[in-house]
Amino acid sequence: MNRVDLKVVLLGNAAVGKTSLVERFVNERFNESLSYQNTIGAAFAAKQMQVNGKRLIMGIWDTAGSEKYDAMSRIYYRGAKAAIICYDIIKSNTFQRAKFWIRELRTVEEGCKIYICATKNDILKHGAVPSPDINVVETYAAGIQAKFFITSSKTGENVAELFNEIAQDFMSDPNNVQKVEEVIDISNESKGTYCCQ
Amino acid sequence: MYSTKTPTLRIDEADLKCKNGCGFYGNAEWEGYCSKCYREYLQKQRSQTECNVYGQVYDLASSNKNNVQISAHQKYEEKKVQQEKKYKLLNISFRKPVTKVQGYQELLYELTKDNSDLEKVKADNRDLIAMIAKTPVERDVRKCMHSFIIEILQNKDVKRIEELSEITQNFYQVFAKRLENSAKYADITPEVKEKLLDYVERYAMTLLYRILFCPPFTNDEEKDLAIQKRIRQLNWVSGKNLECRIHETSSEVRELVYTSITDLLNMDSAKAPQEKLSCVIYCCRNIFLMLQQSVGGPASADEFLPALIFIVLKANPARLKSNINFITRFCNASRLMTGEGGYYFTNLCCAVSFIENLTAESLNMDEKDFNAYMSGERVPANTWESALMICESLHLMCEDITLLDEMKAKTTEIMTEALNLKEKMLQFQEEMKSEVNTVLDRTPLLITHSQRLPTNLDCEDIESYQLPPPIIPQVCPTTINNSTPQNDMRTSLIEDCITPSPTFDFPSFIGDDSFDVSKAEDETSLISLDTQSDFDTQQDKSTNELLVSTHLNLPCSTESEQEDYHGFTVQGSNIPTIPCSTGDLSLNTTEMDCENYTSYFHNT
């Protein structure tokens, strides 16, 4: 009731690193006030976050990446406020699939913010070449008004930043904020400091 | 000509006008009225039919009531009939709720009465009910719930299921807001509020389950049957087809498969939507446990969804569509959008949708094969059932193998133990041998003693007689003095010819005894042996410091024996060994004394 839920869907090919990304984010403590909850499976994870002093629970929904489940992926998008679309930084075919999901999302769930996430950045240090080129992805992301992150679940690079950005964006959206403030106002009537700013 | 003729012949222009004569054109579809008049006409007609229907229902309802009520209602009806024409419109709006009230009250009573599930919900929330009992909160909750239930019951035959669902969702929202805003709930903690919301949902849905679950005015039942048939057709689909990583051969995994199937089947027997949802959660958690075993780590959605599809196919839950629809329509929407339950339920919906739209392509197989399997022409070997059968025998084999392994281990253990025992026995033998040897090394000392044993026996006899001893001392001193040098000579001679042998010592020792017994019969042998053994001891003792004592000791026997020996053949067997032994005994003491003295002197 008095909590704010944020649904984030995780899209991407199988073995692209979705699970590792969630594992990295959920099981790593970077702020003592955050409590984390470990689930038996890595398909669903919920994490409590604090943004600008407001509490929200981020539910991360993993989806099956295989093409034979494409028809059902719409069921997952429903009500999602953010979508992380993962692709392998050196595999261009996974980026092509990412584009497909972006198109799907744009038509089905318009209110859903898109975050493109290139995974496995750490392998670039071992001489691998990104494919497609980072600039190409950046231009593409800018073109569709999506945010672009290059992450590595192995080193934890940019993982927390990505999820924090999602939470921040969610909170800064006036529609969501109104909802949040209303709920907080009700739950802490004595405070009541969140008048229209 | 044709064009002008037809209208004049068939329809007059007046016929096209409104029947009411308002001057506007009418329409066949509006029964000859113009649009405005038709609306009025329709309204009039509807009110009339409603009145008629009401009358019938009312009569039926009133006949069930007791006499007092009947008379009251009859009076009321008379009044109503009089007023009917006057307040036509008013009557409609006034009577409509009356009919509904009666209908739903009976229904509500019927639903509440003997509802064990409802009692269970109450029992489960006993603490919560006790907490709010006799407070304004309880009254308000009851009021809200009651008005909601009545609303649903009133509208159940009028509105579509989607609208009922909307009413329900609205009620959840409004009630949640009321919990937050109303002053009545001000001093209740958020946790209790959450519980209250949950309780209200649970109670109301359990109560209304019969009406809202798979209602006859929807096609839920048809869909149930369709999906059931579809799943039955797909019973040949194996885990391999779905590319799900379930190790069917592992007994633990199979156990978990059965548990998750049972959990999913339980969904139909649960009443409240959140109970159904928790069945789905249990099922999915078990699937994750199962995948953990098979994958070896936390499973992701890529592994989970195929496994869930597999479980749904194997479980073929009863009224699957109805259950899913019931949850979607009447579970608190916020629950379905967030949290674990929402995620798993979404996956279940996905799985069902996948099964409905399943094609040969989605199973990565040939179109022809797929059709053959679907029509039941062919049955693949790797169905779950046959896999299970194979599993059973495999399982048995595995058990046998483990049994054999255990037996093998036991056998090797026995073998090593046996070898150990053998070694120990050998060691023991060696030890015994060496011990015996050491004992034997020591025994020569004892032999002198043992040699004296028979004499001891004799000595006892002598002691009893008490007479002979004095005789012996007389014999000995004389012999000692004479024979010492001679005896020395002899011993040295014998030493040369007889090599000392420990093994020889032993039998001679025994022989001593036996010969002792048979002395009377064969004296000669005895004596010869006796001398021999005596010599042996002498040899052993030769190194001994106390040689002097033996020198003192031995002559008495050897000398006497030798004397005996010489005379033996002449004298016969009549001369016993008694004298020697007695002499031995007496000498023993003297010997001891001598020994003591010599050692003493030596020491000094």
Side-chain angles (χ1 to χ4, degrees):
Chain A
M1 271 182 311
N2 57 340
R3 48 164 206 228
V4 188
D5 289 292
L6 163 60
K7 176 176 165 182
V8 180
V9 284
L10 207 54
L11 299 162
N13 267 24
V16 92
K18 287 174 288 175
T19 315
S20 313
L21 190 73
V22 179
E23 284 279 290
R24 181 79 201 185
F25 170 62
V26 174
N27 292 339
E28 189 182 57
R29 286 187 173 206
F30 41 85
N31 189 332
E32 278 173 350
S33 66
L34 300 176
S35 68
Y36 73 91
Q37 162 200 0
N38 200 359
T39 48
I40 38 167
F44 174 79
K47 186 155 178 163
Q48 223 179 73
M49 293 184 84
Q50 221 137 16
V51 179
N52 306 334
K54 289 163 211 158
R55 216 156 52 90
L56 91 152
I57 293 166
M58 189 187 275
I60 303 157
W61 294 34
D62 194 2
T63 58
S66 174
E67 279 170 37
K68 58 181 174 183
Y69 305 123
D70 279 352
M72 281 97 63
S73 52
R74 288 170 189 221
I75 303 174
Y76 287 107
Y77 307 152
R78 206 180 292 147
K81 292 283 173 216
I84 303 169
I85 294 159
C86 299
Y87 79 94
D88 195 320
I89 197 157
I90 57 158
K91 288 180 185 155
S92 60
N93 66 317
T94 60
F95 182 68
Q96 295 311 315
R97 284 281 287 164
K99 278 181 169 176
F100 159 78
W101 275 303
I102 292 165
R103 279 197 300 275
E104 276 263 303
L105 270 172
R106 278 280 177 259
T107 51
V108 178
E109 204 71 30
E110 280 175 55
C112 183
K113 277 193 186 299
I114 292 170
Y115 299 82
I116 300 169
C117 173
T119 58
K120 307 181 186 174
N121 189 34
D122 50 290
I123 57 170
L124 291 186
K125 291 188 186 99
H126 303 293
V129 182
S131 163
D133 199 71
I134 298 295
N135 291 329
V136 174
V137 185
E138 269 174 351
T139 335
Y140 175 78
I144 56 157
Q145 287 164 341
K147 284 186 180 167
F148 177 47
F149 284 83
I150 303 170
T151 65
S152 163
S153 307
K154 200 173 173 183
T155 59
E157 180 193 346
N158 260 340
V159 174
E161 286 82 350
L162 166 69
F163 286 96
N164 276 335
E165 184 79 21
I166 292 170
Q168 292 277 359
D169 286 350
F170 175 74
M171 288 308 216
S172 59
D173 188 323
N175 295 325
N176 301 327
V177 171
Q178 204 173 19
K179 201 173 135 201
V180 172
E181 286 189 345
E182 181 189 29
V183 172
I184 288 170
D185 266 350
I186 291 159
S187 55
N188 310 318
E189 271 170 311
S190 56
K191 280 189 183 173
T193 47
Y194 310 106
C195 286
C196 356
Q197 286 172 339
Chain B
M1 192 178 124
Y2 180 76
S3 57
T4 49
K5 196 184 173 186
T6 334
T8 47
L9 268 175
R10 289 184 77 183
I11 312 161
D12 204 285
E13 200 179 300
D15 288 337
L16 289 172
K17 296 256 164 125
C18 174
K19 264 159 80 176
N20 243 7
C22 62
F24 288 98
Y25 281 100
N27 193 314
E29 266 182 47
W30 295 329
E31 294 177 29
Y33 290 103
C34 72
S35 61
K36 211 177 167 187
C37 294
Y38 178 68
R39 214 177 294 151
E40 275 171 21
Y41 162 79
L42 216 65
Q43 221 156 25
K44 214 185 277 173
Q45 224 170 23
R46 205 184 294 159
S47 66
Q48 264 170 351
T49 49
E50 265 176 15
C51 281
N52 291 340
V53 167
Y54 162 70
Q56 284 166 3
V57 171
Y58 185 83
D59 286 343
L60 270 170
S62 58
S63 65
N64 289 335
K65 305 269 169 180
N66 57 43
N67 293 333
V68 185
Q69 272 181 321
I70 285 169
S71 60
H73 281 287
Q74 273 170 343
K75 271 179 202 165
Y76 178 78
E77 192 164 23
E78 281 161 21
K79 257 187 202 170
K80 178 203 78 186
V81 173
Q82 286 168 356
Q83 290 175 334
E84 198 160 16
K85 276 169 191 171
K86 232 175 179 179
Y87 304 99
K88 210 175 241 177
L89 213 81
L90 197 100
N91 267 339
I92 299 157
S93 58
F94 169 67
R95 276 176 200 155
K96 208 172 175 177
V98 178
T99 56
K100 293 294 175 189
V101 162
Q102 280 176 343
Y104 88 76
Q105 267 181 346
E106 273 166 32
L107 196 60
L108 183 62
Y109 175 72
E110 206 183 301
L111 287 173
T112 325
K113 195 187 157 199
D114 297 330
N115 193 334
S116 58
D117 294 309
L118 214 56
E119 295 303 316
K120 206 175 152 270
V121 171
K122 276 183 187 167
D124 287 345
N125 290 284
R126 208 183 297 117
D127 294 342
L128 184 71
I129 295 167
M131 192 189 280
I132 60 159
K134 282 162 191 157
T135 57
V137 174
E138 190 200 21
R139 218 175 306 137
D140 195 66
V141 168
R142 204 169 279 225
K143 203 179 84 190
C144 289
M145 210 148 62
H146 194 72
S147 66
F148 162 67
I149 289 167
I150 286 168
E151 197 181 350
I152 289 287
L153 288 175
Q154 276 175 350
N155 293 315
K156 73 180 177 71
D157 298 323
V158 186
K159 290 190 172 162
R160 283 176 298 134
I161 192 83
E162 287 78 17
E163 286 169 309
L164 293 180
S165 161
E166 212 169 284
I167 292 171
T168 315
Q169 296 297 345
N170 270 337
F171 165 69
Y172 293 148
Q173 274 179 20
V174 167
F175 187 72
K177 258 192 193 135
R178 195 184 177 90
L179 281 177
E180 296 294 345
N181 294 324
S182 173
K184 283 174 194 160
Y185 301 99
D187 47 349
I188 285 183
T189 59
E191 288 81 46
V192 177
K193 280 178 186 171
E194 196 98 29
K195 273 187 194 168
L196 261 178
L197 195 63
D198 181 80
Y199 169 70
V200 166
E201 183 181 344
R202 207 177 280 253
Y203 184 90
M205 282 305 127
T206 312
L207 184 73
L208 296 170
Y209 188 73
R210 221 185 68 194
I211 288 160
L212 297 180
F213 182 79
C214 189
F217 48 88
T218 62
N219 57 354
D220 285 359
E221 204 175 344
E222 289 162 42
K223 284 182 188 163
D224 284 342
L225 293 174
I227 188 103
Q228 198 155 20
K229 199 179 155 203
R230 175 90 180 157
I231 291 174
R232 243 179 243 156
Q233 272 186 323
L234 288 167
N235 75 332
W236 51 270
V237 175
S238 69
K240 225 179 210 170
N241 294 131
L242 294 165
E243 286 168 26
C244 68
R245 296 159 73 177
I246 297 176
H247 292 177
E248 288 166 25
T249 39
S250 157
S251 61
E252 274 172 80
V253 168
R254 261 186 296 146
E255 202 61 44
L256 282 166
V257 167
Y258 288 135
T259 325
S260 32
I261 285 175
T262 321
D263 285 329
L264 197 58
L265 291 176
N266 277 345
M267 184 173 73
D268 189 51
S269 57
K271 289 284 186 307
Q274 58 258 70
E275 281 166 22
K276 284 183 191 291
L277 207 56
S278 62
C279 287
V280 177
I281 293 174
Y282 288 140
C283 168
C284 292
R285 280 186 185 159
N286 279 320
I287 291 172
F288 271 113
L289 280 179
M290 181 175 80
L291 288 172
Q292 230 166 8
Q293 297 250 335
S294 309
V295 178
S300 68
D302 291 314
E303 285 117 27
F304 171 68
L305 189 59
L308 182 66
I309 292 168
F310 178 75
I311 294 295
V312 173
L313 279 178
K314 294 309 149 196
N316 196 0
R319 301 192 280 181
L320 181 61
K321 266 282 181 193
S322 295
N323 278 300
I324 287 176
N325 283 340
F326 182 71
I327 295 174
T328 335
R329 286 167 189 155
F330 299 107
C331 188
N332 199 335
S334 67
R335 217 193 297 273
L336 288 183
M337 287 312 290
T338 54
E340 221 184 339
Y343 179 71
Y344 292 151
F345 183 70
T346 308
N347 272 294
L348 181 66
C349 293
C350 266
V352 172
S353 140
F354 180 82
I355 290 166
E356 282 173 331
N357 304 311
L358 194 126
T359 57
E361 201 188 339
S362 46
L363 290 178
N364 293 329
M365 62 194 298
D366 196 56
E367 187 80 41
K368 228 191 274 171
D369 286 344
F370 180 79
N371 288 334
Y373 291 144
M374 281 305 272
S375 58
E377 276 173 38
R378 262 197 288 166
V379 178
N382 57 344
T383 56
W384 172 246
E385 282 74 23
S386 59
L388 269 189
M389 265 163 65
I390 295 162
C391 275
E392 276 309 308
S393 38
L394 263 176
H395 185 65
L396 270 173
M397 272 164 73
C398 281
E399 272 184 357
D400 287 348
I401 284 168
T402 45
L403 208 72
L404 281 171
D405 278 346
E406 269 172 34
M407 278 164 78
K408 196 182 166 188
K410 272 182 184 169
T411 325
T412 40
E413 202 184 326
I414 287 168
M415 283 306 284
T416 47
E417 288 285 307
L419 281 172
N420 268 345
L421 188 68
K422 194 182 166 187
E423 220 159 273
K424 270 183 185 171
M425 277 166 80
L426 282 171
Q427 209 181 334
F428 183 72
Q429 199 185 355
E430 285 296 310
E431 270 175 22
M432 278 308 283
K433 220 180 224 173
S434 62
E435 206 161 300
V436 165
N437 280 343
T438 50
V439 167
L440 281 177
D441 282 346
R442 273 184 300 156
T443 37
L445 274 169
L446 291 166
I447 283 166
T448 47
H449 271 285
S450 58
Q451 208 223 346
R452 279 168 209 140
L453 259 167
T455 59
N456 279 345
L457 276 163
D458 290 333
C459 172
E460 271 176 19
D461 287 324
I462 289 143
E463 265 178 348
S464 59
Y465 291 119
Q466 293 229 327
L467 278 166
I471 303 159
I472 296 127
Q474 284 174 338
V475 180
C476 288
T478 52
T479 46
I480 288 164
N481 292 331
N482 299 333
S483 62
T484 28
Q486 197 189 355
N487 191 32
D488 272 341
M489 283 262 286
R490 276 192 80 92
T491 45
S492 61
L493 274 169
I494 289 156
E495 256 180 304
D496 290 333
C497 23
I498 301 161
T499 43
S501 146
T503 40
F504 184 67
D505 268 354
F506 203 67
S508 71
F509 183 62
I510 302 163
D512 243 4
D513 266 342
S514 57
F515 285 127
D516 241 6
V517 186
S518 58
K519 225 171 246 170
E521 289 149 305
D522 194 2
E523 295 274 34
T524 42
S525 56
L526 166 77
I527 282 144
S528 63
L529 268 168
D530 264 358
T531 45
Q532 267 199 335
S533 60
D534 265 345
F535 290 138
D536 284 339
T537 51
Q538 221 175 355
Q539 286 151 20
D540 286 323
K541 270 193 177 176
S542 59
T543 45
N544 205 313
E545 246 194 305
L546 306 171
L547 198 69
V548 196
S549 64
T550 47
H551 280 304
L552 280 171
N553 177 20
L554 275 162
C556 69
S557 56
T558 45
E559 192 61 24
S560 59
E561 267 166 13
Q562 267 165 1
E563 270 183 337
D564 287 340
Y565 182 71
H566 288 301
F568 224 25
T569 40
V570 189
Q571 284 176 348
S573 58
N574 275 341
I575 295 159
T577 44
I578 303 158
C580 346
S581 50
T582 46
D584 251 1
L585 180 78
S586 60
L587 271 172
N588 211 11
T589 47
T590 53
E591 176 199 79
M592 290 289 277
D593 287 337
C594 282
E595 270 181 84
N596 286 338
Y597 281 124
T598 45
S599 63
Y600 174 75
F601 283 125
H602 270 282
N603 285 339
T604 50

